[in-house]
Structures are given as C-alpha cells and as structure tokens.
Amino acid sequence: MRRLRSGDLLAVKNDCFERKSLRRNMLAQLSTDDGKSWRRPFLLDAERTGVAYPDGDIAKDGTITVVYDHNRTKEKEILTV
C-alpha cells in the first residue's frame, strides 16, 4: 500500500488466496477517503498464476510503477506495470 501525492491510498493485491501457488489476478485499488472505502479494482495481470509480492514506486512526474514476481522458483520473472 502506498500513499500518493494526492493523499489517496493505492493498494495492490491478488484476488485469489485459496493456495499460494494459485495467486493470480494482480489488482490495484484506490481509496480517496483514507481507506474507509475503495474504488472498483483495476486488473493489472490476469494472464499468469503465481504472481505475488507487489511493490510500487511513484516517480517525480507522478508515474506509478508496480513491480511483482511471477513464479519465483520456476520462471523467476520480475514484472513491471
């Protein structure tokens, strides 16, 4: 979770937690009221299973980059959106 320059909160998470190996559908959500309510999620990655451990950063120009991994023991990919 990150606080944006606007003061809004950005959360990035998976929507599937049945088993860790099935982590999929990386989502981003925005809250404009300090976490009391959340806007409809934005789907960042629906193609893969095994996506996890998101982190993000905000550039000086306001660009938001989300970094996460895909199957860290097999594919060993680091992805960005």
Side-chain angles (χ1 to χ4, degrees):
M1 188 173 313
R2 297 279 180 182
R3 186 166 301 275
L4 305 177
R5 284 194 190 122
S6 64
D8 297 342
L9 293 175
L10 174 69
V12 181
K13 61 182 182 174
N14 299 101
D15 77 343
C16 178
F17 294 103
E18 297 104 40
R19 291 179 31 204
K20 289 181 182 180
S21 62
L22 294 179
R23 291 178 179 168
R24 62 180 184 268
N25 295 339
M26 187 67 66
L27 303 170
Q29 282 186 283
L30 187 67
S31 174
T32 58
D33 58 7
D34 215 27
K36 293 175 186 156
S37 64
W38 294 88
R39 292 191 180 177
R40 185 175 177 190
F42 178 79
L43 186 60
L44 299 175
D45 189 321
E47 297 177 26
R48 302 166 187 84
T49 58
V51 292
Y53 304 105
D55 196 4
D57 198 16
I58 305 162
K60 289 182 181 181
D61 69 359
T63 302
I64 300 169
T65 301
V66 175
V67 180
Y68 56 98
D69 72 46
H70 173 232
N71 287 332
R72 62 178 42 204
T73 58
K74 292 180 183 177
E75 283 81 0
K76 300 179 182 179
E77 292 181 306
I78 303 295
L79 306 169
T80 61
V81 179

